[in-house]
Amino acid sequence: TSSVCEKQVKPELFHSEAKTQSTDRAMDLGLAEDHFSRPVGSFVASDIEQLKQAIEECKRLILELPEHSERQKDTVAKLIHLRLKLQELKDPEEDEPNLRVLLEHRFSKEKSKSVKQTCDKCSAIIWGLIQTWYTCTGCYYRCHSKCMNLITKPCVRSKVSHQSEYELNICPEIGLDKQDYRCAECRTPISLRGVPSEARQCDYTGQYYCSSCHWNDSAVIPARVIHNWEFEPHKVCRSSMRYLTLMISRPVLKLREINPLLFNFVEELVEIRKLRQDILLMKPYFITCKEAMEARLLLQLQDRQHFVENDDMYSLQDLIDISSGRLSCSLTEIHTTFAKHIKLDCERCQAKGFVCELCKEGDVLFPFDSHTSVCHDCSAVFHRDCYYDNSTTCPRCARMTERKHDAPNDSPEPGS
């Protein structure tokens, strides 16, 4: 009977049954006092032992009481209450270290108890109120404290650091027979018929995984983007999901070498390439301009640092933003701000402009202007029409060549 349960714990843990049923339920669920605050005073071992005995008794009663009865529901509520109280008394923070290192994972103990998460190892829910759990600061792998010693997969961030490249073949399947009908990660037996466990294919690696290693997460596949310009998410395993998440902003895709024909069919790529080339031409103005350095203009591209270093490397996020049109808008705005500083706002930058030496007419020219051409040898700037219509060589190059010929080649005679 329930009286046996009540005798095992202190009177304050349960409430008088003389009150109404609704009052009992409210108090049993912990609504009448703050059970999540730190207990006042010090508790001895007997307090914890009493709680453990009461928990076992409640568990026994739940099995004995009629299914779905009010008394069974009350006992379940009391069981939850007791477990929370026991966890509070045990103070797990003193037992579990704040940082643990395992297979290159750097696990940090989580403080949040209200957010519901799922363990990446056992696929069960992490109940933050009564369970200790950790998150890898590198790859965001989450797991129960009890599951940490069962982890066999190294941290994905180490792979990103040592091997920053994508699988560029579309879903390179090898077949279940090549995997010995086992999960590619944990080696659990699997089959397409779901016996003993369902085989789920990862569209990124092409391999098959069990339901514990493949949660049907979806991600954009780099190979499909580069070869087909396709951005539809496909199902991937957990390890591929973490790898693609960590790699998405890394500029490792050299489209000009992987698929140069893509620029013939995707107009947005041509537009972005021209904007990036212009920004590289603007960079020398900024790194020699005190006002530009103080205004930190180049920091407007801090999220895409590779845009101020080259014009041919792309990240997967770049390609996703190009497809959506978001990158074109933001980069055009930055391009306008940079050009305004050089051509209108800054006298020092304006002084570094060029006058077309072929026609000697028109406004001051800059290498990033759309109507100009730049000499590949000396970087002089001309009107595009003048440069292509003129049959002679670049005037600046001609002057430089003439100076070299006029310079004395022989050293003076001794004593002269």
Side-chain angles (χ1 to χ4, degrees):
T1 63
S2 60
S3 60
V4 179
C5 177
E6 294 171 1
K7 290 178 182 179
Q8 299 295 329
V9 295
K10 291 185 174 183
E12 65 267 24
L13 294 179
F14 293 102
H15 305 283
S16 173
E17 292 184 358
K19 299 181 181 180
T20 61
Q21 183 178 359
S22 60
T23 304
D24 281 344
R25 292 296 302 276
M27 298 184 74
D28 289 340
L29 288 172
L31 302 179
E33 63 174 296
D34 183 9
H35 293 294
F36 302 98
S37 60
R38 293 288 304 137
V40 179
S42 59
F43 286 81
V44 293
S46 60
D47 298 311
I48 295 178
E49 288 303 317
Q50 280 186 324
L51 283 171
K52 287 182 178 179
Q53 292 174 11
I55 288 172
E56 292 302 319
E57 186 64 24
C58 282
K59 289 164 66 175
R60 184 185 65 79
L61 283 173
I62 290 171
L63 296 177
E64 293 179 355
L65 291 171
E67 193 76 16
H68 304 301
S69 66
E70 286 299 317
R71 290 187 62 192
Q72 188 187 55
K73 293 179 182 177
D74 288 340
T75 309
V76 170
K78 290 177 182 179
L79 178 61
I80 294 172
H81 170 97
L82 289 170
R83 282 178 167 171
L84 291 175
K85 200 71 175 180
L86 178 63
Q87 188 71 16
E88 193 72 20
L89 293 183
K90 289 175 67 177
D91 192 10
E93 294 189 4
E94 296 180 1
D95 301 329
E96 300 284 353
N98 289 326
L99 185 66
R100 297 177 67 176
V101 180
L102 179 68
L103 295 175
E104 299 186 341
H105 292 281
R106 291 183 61 84
F107 285 106
S108 175
K109 185 164 68 174
E110 291 294 341
K111 304 297 183 183
S112 173
K113 296 182 180 296
S114 59
V115 180
K116 187 173 74 171
Q117 301 288 353
T118 304
C119 177
D120 280 305
K121 180 57 186 177
C122 68
S123 304
I125 294 175
I126 299 174
W127 298 100
L129 283 171
I130 59 177
Q131 292 176 320
T132 304
W133 59 291
Y134 287 81
T135 299
C136 175
T137 57
C139 66
Y140 310 109
Y141 188 100
R142 300 183 183 91
C143 69
H144 295 104
S145 174
K146 63 181 181 181
C147 294
M148 291 191 65
N149 293 331
L150 304 176
I151 296 174
T152 58
K153 191 72 175 178
C155 181
V156 176
R157 184 170 287 278
S158 62
K159 179 182 177 182
V160 172
S161 301
H162 300 118
Q163 183 188 355
S164 293
E165 58 184 24
Y166 286 116
E167 169 60 62
L168 296 180
N169 294 312
I170 297 177
C171 194
E173 181 179 358
I174 59 174
L176 267 175
D177 57 333
K178 296 293 184 181
Q179 295 182 207
D180 296 326
Y181 294 91
R182 294 181 178 272
C183 172
E185 185 169 326
C186 70
R187 307 305 294 165
T188 298
I190 54 176
S191 73
L192 293 175
R193 293 187 296 177
V195 180
S197 181
E198 177 189 4
R200 298 178 178 178
Q201 187 178 32
C202 173
D203 196 79
Y204 176 69
T205 65
Q207 295 178 306
Y208 290 88
Y209 299 80
C210 66
S211 57
S212 295
C213 300
H214 192 314
W215 296 2
N216 285 330
D217 296 310
S218 295
V220 175
I221 308 300
R224 294 185 181 275
V225 172
I226 293 171
H227 297 298
N228 299 341
W229 201 243
E230 176 193 340
F231 294 88
E232 185 71 25
H234 289 74
K235 292 180 179 180
V236 295
C237 66
R238 292 295 292 170
S239 58
S240 294
M241 186 69 181
R242 284 191 291 271
Y243 182 75
L244 293 173
T245 300
L246 292 174
M247 284 284 291
I248 193 168
S249 297
R250 288 182 172 252
V252 297
L253 298 172
K254 198 167 187 177
L255 295 185
R256 196 177 300 170
E257 293 183 359
I258 302 172
N259 185 8
L261 293 177
L262 201 58
F263 290 91
N264 296 337
F265 297 96
V266 183
E267 295 180 1
E268 297 92 333
L269 275 174
V270 178
E271 177 190 359
I272 295 299
R273 182 174 61 183
K274 178 63 171 68
L275 290 171
R276 290 183 64 176
Q277 290 171 346
D278 288 350
I279 288 173
L280 289 177
L281 293 173
M282 295 176 185
K283 180 180 176 181
Y285 290 85
F286 293 146
I287 61 178
T288 57
C289 175
K290 182 179 178 181
E291 293 182 9
M293 296 298 287
E294 290 177 350
R296 299 185 177 184
L297 291 178
L298 288 176
L299 285 182
Q300 294 187 36
L301 288 169
Q302 61 181 341
D303 293 334
R304 305 183 198 266
Q305 188 66 32
H306 51 290
F307 279 18
V308 295
E309 296 172 354
N310 57 71
D311 65 352
D312 57 355
M313 299 299 292
Y314 293 84
S315 69
L316 182 59
Q317 188 64 60
D318 293 336
L319 301 182
I320 293 173
D321 291 342
I322 289 173
S323 175
S324 67
R326 195 171 74 181
L327 182 57
S328 177
C329 294
S330 61
L331 201 58
T332 300
E333 185 177 343
I334 292 173
H335 182 281
T336 302
T337 302
F338 286 4
K340 181 175 179 291
H341 170 85
I342 296 172
K343 301 178 70 173
L344 299 176
D345 298 342
C346 180
E347 293 183 358
R348 291 187 181 90
C349 292
Q350 290 178 37
K352 298 175 184 176
F354 293 81
V355 174
C356 179
E357 294 188 44
L358 296 175
C359 69
K360 296 181 173 57
E361 295 178 357
D363 298 330
V364 177
L365 305 179
F366 294 89
F368 50 84
D369 287 333
S370 59
H371 60 286
T372 61
S373 292
V374 180
C375 175
H376 295 294
D377 296 324
C378 68
S379 300
V381 182
F382 308 93
H383 290 114
R384 179 173 297 172
D385 295 338
C386 297
Y387 189 68
Y388 286 113
D389 289 345
N390 193 283
S391 58
T392 60
T393 58
C394 166
R396 189 180 183 188
C397 289
R399 286 199 307 273
M400 294 171 66
T401 303
E402 186 177 348
R403 286 173 187 169
K404 288 181 180 179
H405 287 309
D406 292 343
N409 294 324
D410 300 324
S411 59
E413 292 289 338
S416 61

